[in-house]
Each structure stands twice: as structure tokens, then as C-alpha cells.
Amino acid sequence: MSLTRRGLLAGLVGGAGVAAVGTRVQATEVPRKYLINLACFGGASMLDMFLPLDVRAQPDAPREGPLLAYEVATPKGSALSCPDREVPVRYLERYAALTAVVGLQSSTLVHQLAQERILNGRGAFAGRTSGEAVAAAYGADLALPHVNMGFFGYITDGTDDLLPESCRHEFVEDPATFALATHGYAGVLRREEALPVDAIEAARRARDRLEGASPFGRTFLTSLDRQTLLDRRVGAQRAMEEADLVRQLMFREDGPDFPLAAYGLERTSRASLLRDHLPAAARPETPRGRLQAQAALAWLLLASGNTVAVTLCSGVLGDLQTFDTHQLHVQNQAVKWDEVLEVVGGLVELLGATESPHTPGTSLLDHTLIALPTDFGRDKRLSDEGGTSHHLNNAMMLVSPRLSGNRALGRTDPRNGWISGFNPDTGEPTPFMRLDADGVPLDDDPNLPPGEERLFGAMLDLLDVSYDGQQTIPALRNA
Amino acid sequence: MRMLALWLVLGCGGTVQAPPTPDAAPLEPDAALAITPSVRGDLRAKTWRQLSADLEVALDLAPDEVCRELGVTPCTEVHQVRLGGVDWTRSLYSPLERHSLTRAAVLDRMALAGCARRAALDAEAAPDARVIAGALDPRAPIATGGGEDATADAIHTLYRRLLARDPVDAEVAVLLDLRADPALVGSTNEAWLTLACMAVATTTEGVFY
């Protein structure tokens, strides 16, 4: 039986550990944790990455055609394998110890629905997304607790009406210019034309008085939208300005088409680390650069101490290459996985090199979970055209020093390419028991991998966030 | 709502208290303008298109003169989604249903940029060609450059252009107080015009309808 932390935490209600809000249990005096969801739009297939079948071990002339398989490498020190390609091999050599791969059986083949479900665990936590849950647990008092740079179903809000409004995500269109949106006057005027800060603050005080004096203000006293804006001015906006996020989040370089210095701004001093770990962030106009720019902003947001949950997304509409590999499956999965693994590696290095602003003496990485939610899996065999359709069976990648890494929970069945379930307490794979005539697991096979609910619960459990009815995977937690 | 001035004069004599904001001075009740709050309080936030168009018309600026981030990219392009726009590349086909946390800052940026541009153009213009300054010489120091009449006229001009109405006495008093604020000591009328314009343009009346 999988124990949840809820039972333990419930015993501490009213004590030093937590505060219970209805059925939502909120950690209040534990170190803040951080979640980065690196969403892989379209279906990042684990059969094509860390749970591959070895092409040398394939049976001759299988009736249904060959399963997807690769020349497999198992780097020294890694219990995980991968296609024998430079980027994944290098990734495992460096970060296998932080990485776990967890079998997952999705519940839908519809992109948008699948994306929503992988983020909200099919409503497991009152409809909250994982980002919202983490923001509510650790970021409700912060200026910008939850940021989302995703698209399609990955930018869908959760449905919990009790969630504090500030914990819903702040949508960010362009990470390279987002810093400008965090300040009401820095960088608006050229340096030589800038008005004194005291004068601008005097104008803001005058504006507050105008609100009180105006007939409009009195007439619409009951307007929630109006009051929200007034509250934001003295709340979130003030906090963002005082934190100088306009400079802390600015990673784009000064240049003729982005003249920061001329407008009294400068790039964050942290940006020097980007060259080594996310070099393409300087070219956000390319697909690889776009994802790295998102990762750069995610890192800076966490480093600023104002954010605890960030969603990135590999891909936008119109991209020629995505994980939705209905054509050129092998090639496009390879390109996209390489792109994503580079970013994960870059984030690990940057987070590891940055002290946690909330827990001095530790790194951000110590308290972070990088999750790679994806829509669903892909077919286990190529079509005649070299593509694959959507498939419910897959696995999810998690990266964190908080988990028991360098392991796969689930195993690829060489008879059919499906990824098996596992014992949630021990992590041992559980072989399929009920196969059809073609050797494919039946829908009611008890050893199918778990669904979105358990993965969702396990992710939050790794970050010490609990709720009623939470399903977890104890085998994932680092002893 | 910007185009209407709904002054409901009631004989009940009740005063309306605004929700407290930390830095706001207390309300100055005006018995002649006793107003009953709207029951529904149903307002709509102006989108990027409405905000820009309103500033263009009010300040007599071309679309690309209102606000450009770092002098290059139109603010309405950089901040489109947080100002009620959409982004089809991100499959955001409808505006966000809730206000982004950064909307307040972006409203300030647009108004400050547009107002500064207008005040600077007025400083270059002949007196009869000034749009918001009127008889007030923008280049003159606040201390010596213009009497109360010219200043009050400029305030009326700002309200008529930005909010399509005349200011009430209390509002005029607030902006006169701004001109006398210690933070503006040594500043020019141009600075005061910019700040007064920004303050009026970004009242909730200026950004909702």
C-alpha cells in the first residue's frame, strides 16, 4: 500500500509544520520548493529515449513488423540506457543520478485534454495544476509565484475556486522581454530624459488621491476588477519593482535593436553563466533558442526569489519539428529530445550554481523538481510513411536530487514495446499478464503503468505538497 | 464609461468611503457630488487597441509615437496578451479571462511614454500649437513658469482629452498639490505635465470602461 504524507502531516495540524485549509494541507514552515514543468508538446516517446529496445535483440521477421528499436548505449555509472547518440549519452553520463523515468498510462489521445490531465492529474487535487499547487504551497506571499510560457493545453488554468488568484499562472509570451513588464517606469524613457523616482512616486500618490476624489471611483467602488487593479498596484507591482525584476530577469544582450544602456537598464549579472549552459538563449528566434530562452527566464525567476513554479514548453504552433511525430518519427524525436536534454542539463547546472534565495547555504537545485510532462506516447512501430500515431502507453522523466534517481520504474516489454507498470513501493517492474493474440497488453491488465493521478501525486509528494486522497510513489523518494 | 459623467446627486447625504490604499490620502467628501456606488460595478478593462487609440487621440500622437519599448518595438506588440490581446502561435485564441499581474505596470509604461512624448513635443511647439500645455511654458521651471490659471487650464485640458470631462474641484486640487510636491522642486513644467498626464491617464477611469 502506498502511504501518503497526508496522514503524517494531518497529525501536525495546529503544530509547527503545516496549516490545514479545508482539505488542502499547506506546508508553511518547511523550506520552499520549486517546480519546473518542461512540457514536451506532442508526445515525447520514452521508447525513443531512456527505455529503448535494443535493435540487436529484436526477433527476426515479427508478424506485425519491427518494433522501434535503437543501437543502445548504457553509459558508465548509469542504470538507464539511451539511443547511442552524443547528446543523450552525455546527458546520462552527467545527470543519470538525478534522473528517474516513470511508466505512465495516459487516459486520452487528444492533445489538449492530455496536456490538461498531465498537469492536473485528472483533477486529483481539487482541479489544481501542479504549478498552482506548488505556488499555493510555497509562493502565495511572493510577487510572481507562478509563471507559464507554454501553449495549448499546457496553459489551461486549473479549476479550483479556492486557489488564491495570485497563484494562477502569469502567462509570458516572450521571455526575452518579460522583464520590461515588471516595472512601471524603469527603461521607459531614455537615460537623459528619465524623471526622478521621487517625482514619479509623487505622481502615483496623486493618482491614488484622484481615485478617491473622482466620481468614477465612487460610482464603481464595488467593481472587483477595479479593486484588483488598485490592489495589484500596491501589492504585486510594488513588490516586483522593489525586487528590481526589470534587471534581475533581463538576460537579453544590449544591442542596436535592444538598447538597454540607452534607457538606463542593464542585463542581469547572472547572465554570464548562460553562455556556458544555455548558449542559444541569445537567439530566441530559433526553436532551440526559444526553449533555452524560456529556461533562462525560469532560472532567473527562481533565483530572484519571487517565483516557485514555472512551465516551459518545447514547441509552438507552426513549428516544423515537434514531438507529434506523425511523420519522420525517428528523426524528429531525436531532434526534439536532444533539444530538451540540453535544456535540462543547462538548468541543472544553473540551478546547482545558484544559492536558494529562501534557504541560504543550499542551492536552488536542492529544492527543485524538473518534470517533463508530455501529452502521451507514440506507436511502438513505424507506419509505412515513417511516422507514428498517438499511444496511451509511455513514461515520464523526472529530474531532482530529491528523488531516487538513476532508475526506471517500469520496463519495456520486448514482445510489444509497451512500458510496464511497477510496484509503487519498491519500484520493481511488474510484467504484463494479459496479452491479446498479437501480444499487446489488454486494457484491463493489472500491471499497466499508473495514470496521471499517481504521477501528479508523486510529483507533489517529492515537493512535500500533500492533499486528501493523494496517490504517491514511495519508491521515487530519495531515502 | 469614459465618455459619460454619471453624477447621481442624492439627498440622502451619505458619504462614500473608498477602500483604503496604503499611500492614499483620505477622501475629501463633496456633499454636492454624493454618489451611490453602482450595484453591479460592471467594468471592462481596455484592451491594447483601445488604450493605444485613446492615448493617440487624447495626446494627438501617431500610433508609433505613443510607446515603444527601448525605442524600438511598440509596447502594444511586446505586451499584447497582458493588455487583453491574443497570440495564435501559443494557441491563445481568446483574451485571458483574468488580469495578469503585470498589467498594472504596463499601463504605467504606456501612459508615461505617451505623456512624456506629448510634453516634449509641446516644449518644442509654439504656444498656440501646444496640445496639453496651453499657456504653460513647458520649459519654464515650475517655481516661476506659469500662474494658477494657466496650470488649472492645463489640468482641465488633460481631463477633457484623457477622460472626456471636466475635473471636479478636488481633482484640480490634487494636481495642483502635485505641482507643489517637494519631489518636483527644481523641475520644469514639462515634468509636471508628464506626471499629471500619466496620473490622470492611468486612473481606473482611464483604463476601464
Side-chain angles (χ1 to χ4, degrees), chain A residues 149 152 157 170 211-212 219, chain B residues 27 38 90-91 98 101-102 204:
Chain A
M149 294 176 263
F152 217 46
D157 282 332
E170 174 77 4
E211 291 292 348
T219 303
Chain B
L27 268 185
S38 165
R90 312 294 285 283
S91 65
R98 51 189 166 74
L101 292 172
T102 49
T204 52

Side-chain angles (χ1 to χ4, degrees), chain A residues 48-49 68 70 85 320-323 325-339 382 385-388:
Chain A
D48 297 84
M49 189 39 59
L68 273 163
Y70 291 89
R85 208 166 64 239
L320 291 178
Q321 289 175 313
T322 71
F323 281 111
T325 44
H326 291 278
Q327 293 92 29
L328 299 173
H329 170 93
V330 171
Q331 297 89 325
N332 287 350
Q333 287 282 326
V335 166
K336 298 306 290 183
W337 267 116
D338 284 3
E339 184 182 295
L382 294 178
E385 293 79 29
T388 56

Side-chain angles (χ1 to χ4, degrees), chain A residues 87 90 277-278 288 292 338-346:
Chain A
V87 172
R90 186 169 64 230
H277 302 301
L278 292 172
R288 181 170 170 251
Q292 292 200 11
D338 284 3
E339 184 182 295
V340 161
L341 292 178
E342 282 183 333
V343 167
V344 173

Side-chain angles (χ1 to χ4, degrees), chain A residues 48-245:
Chain A
D48 297 84
M49 189 39 59
F50 294 135
L51 285 172
L53 288 175
D54 193 329
V55 67
R56 292 161 293 199
Q58 288 297 289
D60 294 331
R63 186 160 67 89
E64 294 294 323
L67 292 166
L68 273 163
Y70 291 89
E71 296 205 357
V72 168
T74 307
K76 186 178 175 185
S78 170
L80 297 169
S81 301
C82 63
D84 191 2
R85 208 166 64 239
E86 180 185 351
V87 172
V89 166
R90 186 169 64 230
Y91 176 87
L92 286 180
E93 285 171 345
R94 295 177 180 177
Y95 311 116
L98 300 174
T99 304
V101 171
V102 186
L104 168 65
Q105 192 75 6
S106 300
S107 59
T108 177
L109 297 176
V110 176
H111 282 294
Q112 181 159 359
L113 202 51
Q115 292 159 11
E116 293 173 10
R117 289 181 178 181
I118 194 65
L119 283 194
N120 68 26
R122 296 190 72 183
F125 187 179
R128 293 186 179 188
T129 66
S130 50
E132 289 172 347
V134 172
Y138 298 113
D141 60 328
L142 300 179
L144 197 57
H146 183 194
V147 169
N148 194 324
M149 294 176 263
F151 83 108
F152 217 46
Y154 291 116
I155 58 171
T156 305
D157 282 332
T159 56
D160 184 3
D161 291 338
L162 292 183
L163 184 79
E165 192 68 13
S166 63
C167 294
R168 302 219 183 268
H169 66 248
E170 174 77 4
F171 178 72
V172 172
E173 304 142 89
D174 180 7
T177 59
F178 175 67
L180 296 171
T182 62
H183 206 292
Y185 51 82
V188 172
L189 304 176
R190 295 186 66 86
R191 185 194 290 270
E192 60 272 17
E193 298 166 349
L195 294 166
V197 170
D198 288 352
I200 297 176
E201 292 299 331
R204 286 177 165 182
R205 289 192 298 273
R207 180 176 62 194
D208 289 342
R209 292 180 62 202
L210 290 176
E211 291 292 348
S214 81
F216 179 93
R218 298 181 193 199
T219 303
F220 293 100
L221 207 58
T222 57
S223 164
L224 290 177
D225 283 347
R226 176 178 176 270
Q227 190 57 49
T228 297
L229 179 64
L230 294 174
D231 291 343
R232 293 256 166 95
R233 281 182 171 158
V234 296
Q237 180 182 354
R238 180 70 66 186
M240 284 189 263
E241 290 176 351
E242 288 176 355
D244 202 25
L245 293 186

Side-chain angles (χ1 to χ4, degrees), chain B residues 45-57 66 76 82-84 103 106-107 110 201-202 206-208:
Chain B
K46 289 183 183 176
T47 67
W48 62 273
R49 207 186 297 270
Q50 291 163 315
L51 289 163
S52 186
D54 285 352
L55 287 173
E56 288 165 33
V57 170
V66 172
T76 51
R82 57 184 64 92
L83 289 178
R103 177 183 165 85
V106 172
L107 292 173
M110 283 189 68
T202 56
V207 301
F208 285 97

Side-chain angles (χ1 to χ4, degrees), chain B residues 2 6 10 20 32 36 41 45 48 57 76 78 80 82 85 92 94 118 121-122 131 139 146 165 184 196 198 205:
Chain B
R2 182 176 79 82
L6 297 180
L10 302 177
T36 300
W48 62 273
V57 170
T76 51
V78 175
Q80 191 163 120
R82 57 184 64 92
L92 198 64
S94 300
R118 182 70 258 161
L121 289 172
D122 275 11
V131 173
R139 289 182 167 151
R165 63 171 176 88
L184 270 73
M198 185 202 78
E205 186 174 352

